[in-house]
Amino acid sequence: MRTPRSMRSIKITMSAIAVLASVVTAATPANAQLAGEPLTDVRIATHFDLSAGQMPENITLLPDGTADVTFAASRQVAQITPQGATRILATLPAPTDGGVNTPALGFPLATGIVHTSDGTVYVLYATGTADLTGLWRLRPGQSPQRIAALPAGGLPNGLALDEHGEQLYITDSVLGTVWSVPVTGGTVTAWSTAPELASTGFLGANGAKVHRGALWVTNLDKGTLLRIPIRPGNRAGTPQVRASGLTGIDDFAFTGHGDEVLAALNAPNTVVRIHPNGTTTTVLDASNGLQNPTSIALHGNNVYILNAAYFTATDPNLVRARLHSHQ
């Protein structure tokens, strides 16, 4: 019996992701403490179809609370309504070789996503091929268009928007680089190649956010959260390690309380709150429905957590919760 294409892609994906499981120890950070329920009303808002490759990787929120997300293994951009309904916006073109040469993972995947105020969506795509790897733009009612090429030998992963400077920042988890490109697209610039961005064998620079005059970046292999000042002329400052010991850290979001962060720890299957002094508290775990969390977004006090089920292979989903004030 011939295996359906969707199931074959999942098998390839899970085999590749198993590499990460052997690299990342499934444990909470050494300096983590249990939290006294800083998140309430925790629930699974939407279930996704694992057999169709709907492994949610990254998220951006529209003003009304609608979520645009990337599905890594199916190469898709989807929209999740506040009521939990899923609609596919676009599917990125498949590489002719199936993406077997995609660095580190061996399958093509849609990763970072952001949007601008005019409704334009920007998505990163890694395929291991020169014709498709790069930054893609999706405008309402139009087909996806690649507007900036990125090295086929890299793995573009995190995407951050600086609307004030009209710049996009792209983390490359394999090349240990942050690329910069205008929102209009064009030639990318190696904005930072600091050693703090490098991997130690699997994936380095990962999640990215612009916050208070700096680009904040996670490093999955090193378990760190970095702050890189954005200097005049869009120059990168020296990275500062703001938190460490964050095993398996993926993407993150600021809570609105200064430099406080909620971060997704993928293999450990937890969400942690990172305090401005670098200490952490665990706020969610598998008992709350987490299935290898990949990214987090906030809409006021409403928290959205994507779960790709890379290791659990059970229930990719969107968990929603409400954030308390400081306790």
Side-chain angles (χ1 to χ4, degrees):
M1 178 177 176
R2 185 178 180 183
T3 304
R5 182 183 297 272
S6 62
M7 289 307 297
R8 282 187 280 128
S9 69
I10 295 301
K11 289 179 180 178
I12 293 171
T13 299
M14 295 312 299
S15 175
I17 292 297
V19 177
L20 178 57
S22 68
V23 175
V24 179
T25 303
T28 52
N31 61 341
Q33 305 167 4
L34 293 179
E37 296 188 11
L39 297 180
T40 59
D41 301 325
V42 182
R43 66 200 184 281
I44 298 177
T46 306
H47 298 273
F48 303 118
D49 187 351
L50 180 66
S51 67
Q54 293 184 351
M55 297 172 169
E57 174 63 23
N58 209 268
I59 185 170
T60 184
L61 295 179
L62 306 184
D64 67 351
T66 296
D68 284 352
V69 307
T70 50
F71 287 146
S74 63
R75 318 183 318 277
Q76 290 177 321
V77 181
Q79 193 165 83
I80 318 300
T81 69
Q83 294 74 37
T86 302
R87 178 171 69 97
I88 303 301
L89 298 179
T91 301
L92 299 176
T96 56
D97 65 358
V100 295
N101 293 313
T102 304
L105 296 175
F107 67 95
L109 67 159
T111 54
I113 185 171
V114 297
H115 77 278
T116 49
S117 57
D118 64 359
T120 301
V121 176
Y122 298 85
V123 178
L124 293 176
Y125 189 31
T127 67
T129 62
D131 60 326
L132 295 176
T133 299
L135 173 69
W136 290 68
R137 181 175 63 202
L138 179 60
R139 285 177 168 155
Q142 298 184 16
S143 299
Q145 176 188 12
R146 189 175 75 158
I147 62 170
L150 288 163
L155 189 81
N157 198 337
L159 182 61
L161 169 67
D162 180 359
E163 284 197 278
H164 176 72
E166 297 186 334
Q167 290 287 320
L168 291 162
Y169 298 94
I170 300 163
T171 61
D172 191 312
S173 297
V174 167
L175 299 180
T177 299
V178 174
W179 306 100
S180 175
V181 64
V183 293
T184 52
T187 303
V188 299
T189 300
W191 187 74
S192 178
T193 57
E196 290 86 350
L197 302 170
S199 78
T200 59
F202 187 57
L203 298 177
N206 198 318
K209 294 289 186 295
V210 173
H211 174 71
R212 297 174 65 173
L215 180 71
W216 296 62
V217 176
T218 63
N219 186 312
L220 187 143
D221 279 356
K222 296 180 180 179
T224 52
L225 174 64
L226 307 170
R227 180 185 184 274
I228 308 175
I230 301 174
R231 302 298 188 198
N234 194 35
R235 293 178 297 106
T238 301
Q240 308 153 358
V241 177
R242 298 301 296 266
S244 59
L246 301 164
T247 303
I249 189 168
D250 200 323
D251 209 352
F252 63 99
F254 289 92
T255 65
H257 301 299
D259 292 342
E260 184 180 77
V261 164
L262 289 177
L265 273 55
N266 198 300
N269 211 20
T270 57
V271 169
V272 298
R273 174 184 273 183
I274 304 175
H275 303 278
N277 65 1
T279 61
T280 63
T281 53
T282 299
V283 296
L284 294 177
D285 59 22
S287 68
N288 302 112
L290 297 189
Q291 296 267 329
N292 308 130
T294 53
S295 55
I296 297 175
L298 274 78
H299 185 258
N301 286 335
N302 295 302
V303 183
Y304 296 63
I305 302 144
L306 289 183
N307 294 277
Y310 285 138
F311 311 141
T312 63
T314 303
D315 179 29
N317 63 52
L318 169 64
V319 167
R320 293 190 59 180
R322 287 188 63 82
L323 176 69
H324 280 194
S325 300
H326 283 92
Q327 298 202 356

